[in-house]
Amino acid sequence: MTNKRIEASSLELINAAEKENSTQEAKTFFRLEEELLQHIFALEREKARNTLRELQHLLAMYTPGFSIKVIQYHFIVLSAIVTRQLQARAILNEENAFTFSGTCIQLIEENLTADNANEIGDELIEFFCYVLKEKEKPSLLHETVNEVIQYIDENVEEQLVVEEIAKRFSVSTSHLSRIFREYTSVTLVEFITIRKIEEVQYYLRFTDQKIAEIAERFHFCNQSYFTRVFKKYTGVTPRRFRKDLDGNYFQFTIKKDDSL
């Protein structure tokens, strides 16, 4: 009788210890997830990558034998959480949020394996930050320049011509070109090209459109010219960028000091 009581007491202690460990792991998990979201929305890519790796490690330890499936589900849930926050912050409208979420799920389901979980996690972080940065409203000290940048962002797939943009904002071409370079450090023509290259990266990574079709979609005169310009800014060819999921996105940053 005594032995049975000892065994029962031991079992209760083990269960209590397991419950305590599980509670602690849950607290750690949700703390890390909150930190991850903070890093993402602060565009702290490296911190976000490291925190996501900690989460993956925790999930792998907690679910041996099923870790890759659990990580897949977590990536999908994380994408949904980020989507909701993007929508709540008015960064994405309903239609764009739906597309964004679907793109993330497609990336995860079509590419995630037991061998590349870190790379897919990094790609998700890059994509989240890419969308956040892309949707930031310009905040330079010249209102016309801000409006022109926003107009380019909203019409990046169109054939944008400096003269037509100047006419739209009721300024001369020379004046617009001068103030744009003064407040952004690049010419208006180059900025249009930069924004097209930034946007093209999405189509290379997340669609199966042919490179020639993407070049035409963004009004590059031919695929050869498109490849040359793309490599100038990203360091790789469009084909290589499409193939290497662990490659970083090119994004241009306007230095705030240049606007003073």
Side-chain angles (χ1 to χ4, degrees), residues 46-206:
E46 195 58 35
K47 290 181 179 179
R49 292 190 190 102
N50 292 336
T51 304
L52 184 56
R53 278 176 167 71
E54 289 186 64
L55 284 163
Q56 289 174 234
H57 180 69
L58 190 61
L59 288 170
M61 288 185 62
Y62 194 67
T63 57
F66 301 94
S67 58
I68 188 60
K69 204 65 181 175
V70 172
I71 288 171
Q72 179 186 27
Y73 292 150
H74 179 246
F75 281 174
I76 291 173
V77 170
L78 175 63
S79 298
I81 293 172
V82 171
T83 301
R84 292 298 185 193
Q85 291 208 16
L86 288 170
Q87 192 175 0
R89 299 180 189 206
I91 296 172
L92 294 178
N93 59 30
E94 287 186 359
E95 182 180 352
N96 290 337
F98 182 78
T99 302
F100 174 83
S101 181
T103 298
C104 293
I105 293 171
Q106 182 179 2
L107 168 69
I108 296 161
E109 290 188 337
E110 292 184 359
N111 296 284
L112 182 65
T113 68
D115 298 322
N116 71 357
N118 285 341
E119 288 77 9
I120 297 300
D122 288 350
E123 177 67 7
L124 283 172
I125 297 299
E126 275 297 323
F127 188 44
F128 296 157
C129 291
Y130 165 75
V131 171
L132 277 165
K133 181 68 177 175
E134 183 191 46
K135 299 299 181 182
E136 274 187 339
K137 291 188 181 298
S139 56
L140 302 176
L141 295 181
H142 199 291
E143 192 57 35
T144 299
V145 176
N146 287 334
E147 291 174 356
V148 168
I149 290 173
Q150 193 161 351
Y151 175 77
I152 293 170
D153 288 344
E154 293 170 354
N155 298 276
V156 68
E157 291 188 28
E158 303 300 323
Q159 190 164 16
L160 296 166
V161 179
V162 173
E163 289 76 12
E164 294 178 0
I165 295 174
K167 184 177 180 181
R168 181 181 184 86
F169 289 92
S170 303
V171 295
S172 69
T173 302
S174 59
H175 178 67
L176 177 58
S177 297
R178 182 182 61 78
I179 62 174
F180 196 90
R181 182 160 192 168
E182 179 182 347
Y183 284 87
T184 68
S185 77
V186 295
T187 67
L188 181 51
V189 172
E190 184 176 10
F191 184 79
I192 290 170
T193 302
I194 286 170
R195 280 296 296 117
K196 286 181 180 291
I197 293 300
E198 288 178 328
E199 192 72 13
V200 154
Q201 294 171 111
Y202 165 82
Y203 288 90
L204 288 171
R205 282 278 172 85
F206 299 106

Side-chain angles (χ1 to χ4, degrees), residues 2-46:
T2 303
N3 288 338
K4 288 183 179 180
R5 286 178 179 173
I6 292 173
E7 289 174 3
S9 298
S10 297
L11 184 60
E12 288 174 3
L13 286 172
I14 292 170
N15 289 337
E18 288 179 344
K19 184 176 181 181
E20 178 63 27
N21 288 336
S22 178
T23 300
Q24 186 58 44
E25 286 171 345
K27 288 180 179 178
T28 301
F29 177 85
F30 288 114
R31 175 182 60 78
L32 287 171
E33 193 169 68
E34 183 61 33
E35 289 178 7
L36 173 60
L37 291 172
Q38 290 173 2
H39 293 323
I40 289 171
F41 282 86
L43 297 176
E44 297 171 338
R45 289 173 170 82
E46 195 58 35

